[in-house]
Amino acid sequence: MVVAAAARPQTAEALSKRASMLRDSLQRSQGNTDGMVTILGSFDHRLSALEAAMRPTQVRTHAIRMAHENIDKTIKAADGILSQFDLARRLQAEAAVLKGPHEDLESYLEAVDLLKGIVRFFSTNKNFKSSEGVLNHVNNLLAKSALKIEEEFRQLMTTYSKPIEPDRLFDCLPKSLRPTKDDPDADPGNAGHSEHPSKSLETAVYRTPTLIPPRILPLMNDIAQQLIQAGNQQSCYKIYRDTRGSALESSLRKLGVEKLSKEDVQKMQWEALEAKIGNWIHFMRIAVGILLRIGPYCVYSDLKTHILLTTQVKLLLAGERKICDQIFDGVNFNKDQCFAELTANSVVTLLSFGDAVAKSKRSPEKLFVLLDMYEVMHELQPEIEVIFEGKSCSEMREASLGLAKRLAQTAQETFADFEEAVEKDASKTIVNDGTVHPLTSYVINYVKFLFDYQSTLKLLFQEFETGSETESQLAVVTMRIMQALQNNLDGKSKQYRDPALTYLFLMNNIHYMVRSVRRSEAKDILGDDWIQRHRRIVQQNANQYKRVAWAKILQTLSIQGAGSTGSSDLSSSGVSRAMIKERFKSFNMQFEELHAKQSQWIVPDQELRESLRLAVAEVLLPAYRSFVKRFGNLVENGKNPHKYVRYSPEMVEQLLGEFFEGQQWGEQKR
């Protein structure tokens, strides 16, 4: 307890000393702080004074820097102004501008661009004292240069818008279709027959003819730009339209394209018109596209000749479209309208002939050329849509479609005319030998040609029919034509006095119809039912011929009840020798008459001819053999037996082999 009491005073004293020391430290720290505050306040005062002293210097420095920048800008602006004045002074030599661009077009156009730059500069900087004078002078020079550029455009277009010669167009053909160089005057159709040209049509490369040299086109584009920018759109439009339109028309004239009216077409002989129509089809494909198919009527006998004529100036309109697009590329110009107008006369010339044919008097022989014309119009329509694109060319496209519809309408009406003409054909031509009538072969060939146009006919029928009707329409039309022919043949058969020849005539003609159908594409359209039905008609007429022609002579060989026992005793047989002699004489006379007459008749089909002879032999020879065997002994023992039994069965069979050969009297064998 005493120790604890003694320790307390010592602890308190120590704490007191420490507190005193802490107060002294705090007082010294406060003094230092007050000193630092005083010093810092002195620095702030000095800095404020320094800043106030430097402010006028900073203002003067900034002003000097701004003045320097303004001087630089002014110098640059002055340089620009001086350069424009310098350009204006250098271009004030009016003689150079008035001289025109003919000698150096590119430099001239560059000078014009510089003048336009001067105009733009001074138009936006009109506060210069000399701006107005410079603008007036430069604008005056630009007006004069525009006239010179227009004249240069006219001169270039005239120089390079010559009609293209047909011979030059051979360069556009594939090598396989070009005439040989060794004989330039040779018929191109006689070249290269080693390969059929139609085989390479799809892969052949045809080049568009060069109507204007490629090096000239960029210059023309620059000139067109200048003219349009100068406000001379109408002049540019008229120059281009007139020169190129005239060149196109001249090119077509060199190929023989001519404008014919309905009256001109009506006056032409068919052969001449057919040739004109053939050429028209060539020209249409020449002007727009390429040859795809040859019609059966074609006046050219050689396919390659046809292709050469067709492709000599192929794609003329496409070539015109190409250069029109190139010359006015990037130019604010209605090039579609310009192209439509420059090609208008040429297209009208081509289409007007087709229109004249469509409106001319219908006749059966025109059907195939109408189909060819319709086909080429339908075939080329997609290309026409491309070449004559745009609203400005809508009349061209509509005119083309309109012609296709008129051709289709005329072709369909011609179908009806042909059917009626076949049924009502009143020609007095009689085939005395009973062979195939010219009308039959004409109609069958006509129908065969129709089937060469199956795809075209389906397109044509679609112009007027819808749905599945188009598939059966060709069959319906063909059946009507065949029925009309059959009706007419029935009428013609009645002109024969000999009923046997009537049936032979019908048999020959209907058999010709059946055989032709079986050997052509018509069998797929008319069908097996039609073929079988008409084969039965052929057989019916053959049976009728056999019945009518041979009934009488067979009756001669048939004696009711005669010789039933086979006895040679006249009394027991009930047949007199005189009757037998008369029957043999009657047979000889009838057979000779039949041979004389029917060996002049004709069954042109060998298989049918042999079949008919066999059918006759099958009824005649057994009857004759039986008659000779049964009654020949009645006359052989008398006087002049050969007078009665003139022909052995073998001789009769041999003579039957001469029937239906069309022999003349002097050729007949006995």
Side-chain angles (χ1 to χ4, degrees):
M1 291 295 290
V2 176
V3 175
R8 288 192 190 102
Q10 292 177 356
T11 302
E13 184 179 354
L15 288 171
S16 177
K17 286 181 180 180
R18 289 177 182 174
S20 177
M21 290 174 65
L22 183 59
R23 268 194 312 273
D24 291 342
S25 296
L26 288 171
Q27 287 174 355
R28 285 195 299 272
S29 177
Q30 182 64 40
N32 290 336
T33 300
D34 292 341
M36 287 300 296
V37 169
T38 301
I39 292 169
L40 289 173
S42 175
F43 275 123
D44 184 57
H45 178 72
R46 291 175 184 177
L47 287 172
S48 296
L50 180 61
E51 183 180 3
M54 291 182 65
R55 186 174 292 114
T57 303
Q58 291 176 340
V59 171
R60 287 194 296 272
T61 302
H62 179 71
I64 291 170
R65 186 169 61 252
M66 292 299 295
H68 181 72
E69 290 178 358
N70 288 336
I71 290 170
D72 287 342
K73 291 180 180 179
T74 302
I75 290 172
K76 290 180 180 178
D79 286 341
I81 295 168
L82 291 173
S83 67
Q84 296 297 324
F85 277 105
D86 183 57
L87 284 173
R89 282 195 299 271
R90 285 192 288 116
L91 291 170
Q92 280 181 356
E94 294 188 17
V97 175
L98 297 177
K99 187 177 180 180
H102 187 66
E103 294 182 1
D104 190 354
L105 177 61
E106 292 186 47
S107 297
Y108 193 88
L109 294 177
E110 289 176 3
V112 171
D113 285 335
L114 289 173
L115 286 173
K116 290 179 179 179
I118 293 172
V119 170
R120 286 193 296 273
F121 178 83
F122 285 104
S123 295
T124 56
N125 296 277
K126 295 183 178 181
N127 52 335
F128 299 118
K129 182 182 292 185
S130 301
S131 293
E132 186 175 351
V134 172
L135 281 172
N136 289 337
H137 184 72
V138 173
N139 281 326
N140 185 44
L141 287 176
L142 284 174
K144 293 177 180 178
S145 69
L147 294 175
K148 291 295 182 181
I149 291 173
E150 180 182 319
E151 184 58 35
E152 181 68 11
F153 187 64
R154 179 181 288 105
Q155 187 172 346
L156 283 174
M157 289 303 303
T158 302
T159 301
Y160 294 104
S161 294
K162 304 298 182 185
I164 190 165
E165 294 293 334
D167 290 343
R168 277 185 55 204
L169 297 164
F170 280 117
D171 294 336
C172 302
L173 301 176
K175 290 183 179 179
S176 60
L177 297 181
R178 297 178 188 176
T180 57
K181 293 182 179 179
D182 296 335
D183 187 8
D185 296 326
D187 180 3
N190 293 326
H193 280 282
S194 58
E195 181 181 354
H196 199 278
S198 64
K199 293 181 180 179
S200 58
L201 275 178
E202 293 184 1
T203 57
V205 178
Y206 299 86
R207 292 189 298 104
T208 303
T210 301
L211 303 180
I212 293 180
R215 62 183 178 82
I216 301 297
L217 293 172
L219 294 178
M220 289 185 169
N221 177 257
D222 290 339
I223 294 176
Q225 291 270 17
Q226 296 287 352
L227 287 175
I228 302 304
Q229 291 173 7
N232 294 338
Q233 292 94 333
Q234 289 302 316
S235 296
C236 180
Y237 189 101
K238 187 175 186 302
I239 291 169
Y240 187 86
R241 179 197 63 196
D242 293 349
T243 53
R244 291 311 308 165
S246 176
L248 178 60
E249 291 173 34
S250 297
S251 295
L252 291 177
R253 278 197 299 272
K254 281 181 176 289
L255 288 166
V257 178
E258 57 182 320
K259 189 172 184 179
L260 295 175
S261 66
K262 174 184 173 182
E263 290 71 24
D264 295 329
V265 169
Q266 201 67 47
K267 293 175 184 176
M268 294 177 69
Q269 295 294 323
W270 167 242
E271 291 77 8
L273 178 59
E274 187 179 33
K276 291 286 186 186
I277 293 173
N279 287 337
W280 180 85
I281 291 172
H282 303 334
F283 298 145
M284 285 303 298
R285 289 195 173 108
I286 280 168
V288 182
I290 64 172
L291 172 67
L292 296 178
R293 192 179 67 78
I294 304 297
Y297 75 92
C298 185
V299 296
Y300 298 100
S301 59
D302 188 89
L303 175 60
K304 193 161 186 179
T305 301
H306 187 106
I307 295 173
L308 283 168
L309 289 169
T310 302
T311 56
Q312 266 192 330
V313 283
K314 179 178 67 73
L315 305 177
L316 270 180
L317 292 178
E320 287 292 345
R321 184 78 203 203
K322 181 179 179 180
I323 62 171
C324 184
D325 289 342
Q326 289 176 324
I327 290 175
F328 297 109
D329 181 39
V331 180
N332 185 16
F333 182 79
N334 192 347
K335 59 186 177 183
D336 288 345
Q337 181 67 33
C338 185
F339 178 73
E341 291 190 16
L342 79 88
T343 56
N345 287 339
S346 297
V347 173
V348 166
T349 298
L350 288 168
L351 297 184
S352 63
F353 176 75
D355 196 60
V357 173
K359 293 178 179 178
S360 63
K361 184 179 179 181
R362 299 190 301 272
S363 61
E365 63 269 16
K366 286 184 183 178
L367 177 60
F368 298 107
V369 292
L370 286 168
L371 291 176
D372 274 308
M373 293 171 78
Y374 170 75
E375 180 186 37
V376 76
M377 292 306 301
H378 189 276
E379 167 194 316
L380 296 178
Q381 192 61 37
E383 295 179 59
I384 290 173
E385 295 285 340
V386 172
I387 293 173
F388 294 102
E389 63 179 350
K391 183 178 179 181
S392 300
C393 298
S394 60
E395 289 187 11
M396 302 290 189
R397 300 193 300 273
E398 291 170 3
S400 173
L401 280 172
L403 175 56
K405 288 187 177 294
R406 281 190 294 278
L407 289 168
Q409 181 67 40
T410 304
Q412 191 173 57
E413 291 170 354
T414 304
F415 267 121
D417 293 346
F418 179 68
E419 179 187 340
E420 184 178 358
V422 169
E423 184 153 8
K424 294 183 178 180
D425 177 71
S427 63
K428 300 300 181 182
T429 302
I430 298 178
V431 285
N432 294 321
D433 52 16
T435 189
V436 176
H437 196 279
L439 177 66
T440 304
S441 56
Y442 172 74
V443 172
I444 293 301
N445 286 334
Y446 201 93
V447 171
K448 283 182 180 179
F449 284 153
L450 282 180
F451 285 94
D452 288 336
Y453 287 83
Q454 282 194 65
S455 58
T456 305
L457 288 168
K458 286 179 181 178
L459 292 172
L460 184 143
F461 293 140
Q462 286 173 5
E463 297 276 357
F464 309 99
E465 306 289 346
T466 57
S468 60
E469 294 179 1
T470 58
E471 296 295 326
S472 60
Q473 188 69 11
L474 180 57
V476 171
V477 169
T478 306
M479 286 183 181
R480 286 207 305 257
I481 291 174
M482 299 294 261
Q483 187 59 50
L485 173 61
Q486 195 170 337
N487 293 343
N488 188 280
L489 292 173
D490 286 339
K492 283 180 168 46
S493 69
K494 294 179 173 59
Q495 296 176 342
Y496 295 105
R497 294 181 179 180
D498 190 333
L501 189 54
T502 293
Y503 293 117
L504 188 80
F505 171 79
L506 290 172
M507 178 196 72
N508 276 331
N509 282 269
I510 297 175
H511 178 268
Y512 181 83
M513 292 166 63
V514 172
R515 185 190 64 175
S516 299
V517 168
R518 289 179 61 195
R519 295 180 179 180
S520 71
E521 296 178 66
K523 67 179 179 181
D524 298 325
I525 298 295
L526 295 177
D528 289 335
D529 288 345
W530 186 94
I531 293 174
Q532 294 304 322
R533 186 168 67 255
H534 285 76
R535 288 182 71 177
R536 288 193 294 271
I537 295 174
V538 173
Q539 188 59 51
Q540 290 168 6
N541 281 290
N543 292 338
Q544 288 292 82
Y545 154 78
K546 186 172 63 175
R547 180 185 63 79
V548 171
W550 297 94
K552 185 177 179 181
I553 197 171
L554 289 172
Q555 184 66 30
T556 300
L557 298 175
S558 173
I559 301 177
Q560 295 295 331
S564 58
T565 63
S567 172
S568 60
D569 185 3
L570 296 181
S571 59
S572 63
S573 65
V575 178
S576 68
R577 180 179 283 109
M579 180 184 292
I580 295 303
K581 288 181 178 180
E582 190 62 34
R583 292 298 177 90
F584 272 115
K585 287 170 64 178
S586 178
F587 174 83
N588 294 337
M589 182 181 66
Q590 289 182 62
F591 184 73
E592 288 169 2
E593 182 181 339
L594 287 168
H595 177 270
K597 183 166 49 176
Q598 296 195 27
S599 61
Q600 296 180 69
W601 295 356
I602 295 177
V603 177
D605 183 80
Q606 182 178 357
E607 184 179 348
L608 180 62
R609 183 168 63 248
E610 294 298 333
S611 175
L612 192 61
R613 287 171 178 168
L614 181 60
V616 172
E618 285 177 346
V619 294
L620 179 64
L621 291 178
Y624 186 62
R625 284 194 181 99
S626 176
F627 191 84
V628 171
K629 182 178 180 181
R630 291 165 60 190
F631 302 111
N633 60 338
L634 296 180
V635 294
E636 287 175 354
N637 297 326
K639 294 182 179 179
N640 301 319
H642 294 293
K643 177 180 177 182
Y644 303 104
V645 186
R646 188 176 297 172
Y647 302 103
S648 67
E650 292 72 23
M651 290 179 65
V652 171
E653 184 175 11
Q654 180 182 351
L655 290 172
L656 283 176
E658 297 177 1
F659 278 53
F660 319 125
E661 291 283 357
Q663 295 179 359
Q664 300 301 316
W665 282 96
E667 298 173 346
Q668 296 174 14
K669 298 178 181 179
R670 294 288 182 176

